Each structure stands twice: as structure tokens, then as C-alpha cells.
Amino acid sequence: MATNAAATAARLKPRGDNPMTGEEKKVIFASSLGTVFEWYDFYLYGSLASIIAKQFFSGLDAGSAFIFALLAFAAGFIVRPFGAIFFGRLGDMIGRKYTFLVTILIMGLSTFIVGCLPNYAAIGVAAPVILIALRLLQGLALGGEYGGAATYVAEHAPHDKRGAFTSWIQTTATLGLFLSLMVILGTRTIIGEEAFADWGWRVPFLVSILLLAVSVYIRLSMNESPAFKKMKEEGKTSKAPLTESFGQWKNLKIVILALVGLTAGQAVVWYTGQFYALFFLTQSLKVDGPTANILIAVSLIIGTPFFIIFGTLSDKIGRKPIIMAGCLIAALTFFPLFKMLAEAANPELAAAQVKNKVTVTADPNECSFQFNPTGTVKFTSSCDIAKQVLASSSVSYDNIVGTGPAKIAIGDKVIEGYTSKGLPTDEAKKKDGEFKKAVSGALKEAGYPAKAKPITFMSGQWWTIVGILAILVIYVTMVYGPIAAMLVEMFPTRIRYTSMSLPYHIGNGWFGGLLPTTAFAIVAQTGNMYNGLWYPVIIAAVTFVIGMLFVKETKDVDIYAND
């Protein structure tokens, strides 16, 4: 016991400006590799969704195949909270190190096997079934990976450097992005587009085995975290982490506060700053994909050091002020920043929206809220069809109450809508084509561009866009840099892994993961291409209010005594 007390006292003693030890660097590196895996796989699957659709869902029509490919992608997010519960429980009962090792093995092997999996043409319906099963396994493992990484690093960190140490984990999203882009672009360049679509897409999945091998090798040589080791020696490990975490109000209320007062707002700011910004550039502003990816990548390079800056700053002034400030500033500035982004990236579209207003006249009873997370719902009313066509064309419009079939007015041209309900498939397809052609023709005449003009590399326009995107990334670093340390510090050692993992993955997997779908539904419903931002703005604002009122600062918590 005296030894433990001495070790604890040494760890609580401020380290000041002393550099990291070799062991501490190894802890951070080994822990971060798992998060690199997470983002490498995330970008891989998202970037290659159209190819995966053709490979594994070729028994369906092209549209349905892409939908099911996205569903397989979403499956990994949906099960993450369940993985957090399952592996969090193991981590609190048997230890951080061994649970950590299991999650990286499951995640890495699942990613690798996708690259080996025979396609639909080879083994039929078994191909998509196995693919979705692998995605579910990845999601479950990821549910335990982040909590393990954050807990393991924080429990190794000196008392006054937990924010700085854990912030390194947060930077790995950028490394995962760059790795995926380099491998995809490199493979495409070497073997050509045709070969890449045929078999070369497997290469990025297969090379992930290198990441896995290095990560497992390092993790096998790691020691158990000091906090867990001390607790185990004292016989204080939890025999029922789930019951203690979620069955006792004193802990459950902290889990709820961690979700609504921290991670929900952090998640929507993060997804808006990186993923929704990319979606907005390509889908709403019609910037070509490669250019948009480069713009986002450069903004990430500029913004990534701020993860460390804000993590380190949180060790001095506290986690809560930085996270709350990030949520508040984001909520106040998302609308003007995205309007500036539109004017910079597609000025012709911004000008057309001012010069030639578009209206939709429809019976409100015909209009539904087009929330469609699975992509499988078919909207058949004339109002829904009209709004979908305009939303997908990045056109803002005003709603006018009317009767009969919906009508779209573009300048002085009026296009009458149609209802597809009850129409034979061929006739519905024909009507759809004619309607879209009429709308696109009228939009073209009114000055609405079909796509953004090419953005000259390193021009003033290019740097303006990068600057706006970099600001959005800095917001991400404010809310995300200190979050791991704060979540670790909110819960006692005996149930820390379980308790912190669940609110993190509900916040990021569900609140954040549903952002693009919810935002698109709001845009389609209201007619304003910016109104999708109300989703992250409201959630960030709610998190700010609840966090300020009810969430306590944690930076001075002794995580050894907190058991």
C-alpha cells in the first residue's frame, strides 16, 4: 500500500515542462493507432461506397444497390453504443490492456477481410450478408476502442497533462483521412480507373493489415494502466459495471449529463465542421469531389495542431470553458460562415438565388417531413417530389400555400408537378424524367449553374474557401481536443470505461451520424439550403446551456482517488 501511495503521489506531482518519457510516447502511439484505424476505415468505405454497391449489391438496381451500401456503412454507427456497453464492461472487469487488444484485433481483421471477400457475382446473396456482418463487428469493436484509448492514455498521464496527452488521440482523424486518400489515389494512379473499379478497390482494405500488425505488436508489450492496476491490487474492481453505471442514479445522471451537456454538442460541431462541410461543398454547392477533398484536407492540416493546443490549454484553464466556448461560437457563426462559403465556392449560384427567386405552391397536407435515414422511403406526393427535385439541385425556395398539384415557379416560368402514387413503374419513371428536365431547363435559363466553376488552385478564391473551412475545423478542435480527458475525469475508475464510452458513442454515432440526413430533410421541408444548419445550431446551443448549468469542471480531479 505504501508503494501504491508513493506512486500515486508521484503521478499527482505537477510535471511542469518536462518532456514525455519513452513509455508515455509508446502509450499514446499504441492507443492512437486504433483511432487511426477507425477513421481510415470510415473514409475508405465512404469514398468507395459506389464501387462497393456494384460489387456486393449487383443483384439490385443501381439506386437500391447504393442505398444498401450506405445502409451497410450506417450499420457500423448504429451498433457502436452496444459495443461501448459490451467492451466497456469487459474493460472495467478484466482490464484496459486486454480489452483494448481484443477491440483492435476485431476491428482490424474485419477491415482486412472486406478486401478478401468474394463479391455478389461469385457467391450471390452471401456476399452482402457477410459484408454487413463485418460492418457490425467493426462497429461493435469501435464502440470499445475509443473509450479504451482515452481511458488508457489518461490513466497513464501525469495529473497536470491529461488534456495534452489525450488530445493526441483526437488528431488521428486527420491521419486516417490522409492515409485513405493516399492509398486510394495512389492505387488508382498506378493501376488505372478500370482496374481499380474491378479489383483495385480491395487494395486499401488489404493494406490495413500493416496498421493492425504494428498496433498489435506494440500493444502486446504494453503494461496495464496504473489506475486499474492499483484498483485491482486493492480488490476494488467492479463485479457489475453496467448496474453501477446505469442502474444507480448517482452515476446514471452523470452519464446523461455527459451526453446532453457535452458529447451531443461536441458531435454536431465536429460533423458540421468536417463532414457536413464536405457534403455542403459537393452536394449543395456542386464543387467537384477531388477539389472539395483537397480543400478539406488543407483545412485539416491547418487546423489539426489546435487539437494539441486546446488539449494543453485545458490543463491550465479547464476543459469546460473551452468546450462550452466552442459550442457557443459554432452556434452563433455557422449560418454566416456557410453563407460566406457559398458565395466563395459558387458565386453564380449565390447570385442566382438573389436575382431569381423560386417558389413552390402546394397543399401543406401533401407535404411531409422527408426524414429518410435509410434512403428506402419513396415520396410520391406532388409536393414532396417538387421539393426533392429542388433540394437535390441546391435551390432555395419559398413556400406558398395552394391547392391541387404542386407548382414550381422559377422567374416567370411555372412548372406543374405530378403525383406518382398509383402510377405504373414505367410511367412514373417517364414522368420523373420529364419533370426533372423541365425544372433543370428553367433553372438554367434563370442563371442557376449545374455545377460550380473550377476553382483555381491557390487563387484568392481557393484560399478564401480554405480559410472558412479552417475556422470550422478550429471549432472542431475546441470541442473535441479536451473531451477525452473530461469524460475520463467524470467517472470513477471502477466503471470509467463503461460509463464514458456510452455517452460518447451515442453522441457521435447517433447525434452526429444523423446530421446529414436530418439536415437534408430540413432543407427539403423549408426550402432554404442553409436551414439544415438549425440541427447542429440547436443541439450545440442546448449543450452549451445544460453544460454551463449542470456540468462540473474536472481538470483537478484525482482519478486515482475517484473510485
Side-chain angles (χ1 to χ4, degrees), residues 224-498:
E224 183 54 85
S225 86
F228 184 85
K229 188 176 180 181
K230 170 180 176 287
M231 183 178 64
K232 189 173 182 180
E233 289 172 352
E234 294 173 353
K236 294 182 179 180
T237 55
S238 175
K239 293 180 173 57
L242 298 182
T243 302
E244 287 190 47
S245 294
F246 314 122
Q248 298 178 9
W249 175 243
K250 67 175 183 179
N251 290 316
L252 179 60
K253 69 180 179 182
I254 301 175
V255 171
I256 295 171
L257 281 176
L259 173 60
V260 296
L262 285 176
T263 62
Q266 167 258 304
V268 296
V269 172
W270 181 13
Y271 273 75
T272 303
Q274 293 188 13
F275 309 119
Y276 189 67
L278 178 59
F279 172 85
F280 191 77
L281 279 173
T282 56
Q283 301 301 314
S284 299
L285 303 181
K286 306 298 183 184
V287 175
D288 67 275
T291 298
N293 279 324
I294 291 171
L295 291 166
I296 291 288
V298 174
S299 70
L300 284 170
I301 292 173
I302 295 170
T304 293
F306 286 88
F307 283 115
I308 311 300
I309 291 171
F310 287 119
T312 303
L313 184 62
S314 76
D315 287 324
K316 295 176 172 61
I317 68 171
R319 330 292 187 205
K320 179 178 171 178
I322 299 172
I323 297 172
M324 293 299 106
C327 286
L328 179 61
I329 295 169
L332 293 174
T333 61
F334 272 161
F335 276 101
L337 283 173
F338 274 79
K339 287 178 180 177
M340 290 168 61
L341 187 60
E343 291 168 0
N346 196 338
E348 290 80 12
L349 175 62
Q353 289 177 341
V354 173
K355 185 178 179 182
N356 290 306
K357 295 283 188 182
V358 177
T359 63
V360 174
T361 303
D363 181 352
N365 295 322
E366 264 205 346
C367 306
S368 60
F369 185 65
Q370 298 181 29
F371 182 69
N372 188 13
T374 64
T376 56
V377 179
K378 300 295 183 184
F379 297 102
T380 58
S381 74
S382 62
C383 175
D384 288 344
I385 291 171
K387 289 186 173 185
Q388 269 196 324
V389 170
L390 290 174
S392 62
S393 299
S394 310
V395 177
S396 292
Y397 56 87
D398 294 324
N399 290 288
I400 299 175
V401 176
T403 57
K407 297 180 181 65
I408 296 177
I410 303 170
D412 58 359
K413 184 165 287 188
V414 178
I415 303 159
E416 187 160 322
Y418 73 99
T419 299
S420 64
K421 187 176 182 179
L423 291 179
T425 303
D426 290 343
E427 187 176 346
K429 191 174 181 180
K430 180 182 177 184
K431 285 263 190 186
D432 182 62
E434 292 172 348
F435 183 66
K436 287 179 178 176
K437 184 177 179 181
V439 172
S440 63
L443 288 172
K444 185 176 181 181
E445 288 180 19
Y448 283 81
K451 60 181 180 179
K453 288 184 177 178
I455 299 168
T456 306
F457 182 60
M458 301 296 278
S459 63
Q461 179 190 19
W462 193 90
W463 277 115
T464 299
I465 297 169
V466 166
I468 296 167
L469 294 174
I471 291 171
L472 293 173
V473 173
I474 289 173
Y475 292 171
V476 173
T477 65
M478 290 181 72
V479 298
Y480 198 52
I483 197 77
M486 190 162 192
L487 288 172
V488 166
E489 293 159 348
M490 289 180 79
F491 301 101
T493 306
R494 59 191 287 112
I495 55 171
R496 179 171 293 137
Y497 201 146
T498 304

Side-chain angles (χ1 to χ4, degrees), residues 532-543:
L533 293 168
W534 279 115
Y535 175 76
V537 164
I538 290 172
I539 291 179
V542 168
T543 290

Side-chain angles (χ1 to χ4, degrees), residues 153-174:
V153 172
E155 290 179 350
H156 273 87
H159 178 72
D160 61 337
K161 290 185 178 291
R162 280 198 294 267
F165 276 39
T166 56
S167 65
W168 284 95
I169 302 172
Q170 322 298 60
T171 67
T172 52
T174 303

Side-chain angles (χ1 to χ4, degrees), residues 83-93 96 99 143-144 241 497-498 501:
I85 292 171
F86 179 78
F87 288 109
R89 176 178 177 273
L90 287 182
D92 284 327
M93 291 180 70
R96 303 358 180 170
T99 305
Y497 201 146
T498 304
S501 294

Side-chain angles (χ1 to χ4, degrees), residues 59-192:
L60 304 169
D61 62 88
S64 298
F66 188 67
I67 287 168
F68 276 94
L70 292 178
L71 278 175
F73 178 57
F77 280 98
I78 293 168
V79 299
R80 284 170 86 170
F82 302 102
I85 292 171
F86 179 78
F87 288 109
R89 176 178 177 273
L90 287 182
D92 284 327
M93 291 180 70
I94 68 172
R96 303 358 180 170
K97 174 185 174 180
Y98 296 108
T99 305
F100 210 23
L101 195 58
V102 171
T103 58
I104 197 74
L105 278 169
I106 293 174
M107 187 165 55
L109 289 175
S110 297
T111 301
F112 175 74
I113 293 170
V114 170
C116 307
L117 186 62
N119 60 17
Y120 188 92
I123 60 174
V125 72
V129 170
I130 296 171
L131 177 68
I132 292 173
L134 289 170
R135 290 296 301 171
L136 291 172
L137 282 173
Q138 286 171 323
L140 286 170
L142 286 174
E145 179 65 28
Y146 180 84
T151 301
Y152 193 70
V153 172
E155 290 179 350
H156 273 87
H159 178 72
D160 61 337
K161 290 185 178 291
R162 280 198 294 267
F165 276 39
T166 56
S167 65
W168 284 95
I169 302 172
Q170 322 298 60
T171 67
T172 52
T174 303
L175 184 55
L177 165 62
F178 279 113
L179 278 176
S180 66
L181 287 177
M182 284 192 295
V183 176
I184 290 173
L185 291 173
T187 308
R188 274 185 155 142
T189 302
I190 293 170
I191 69 175

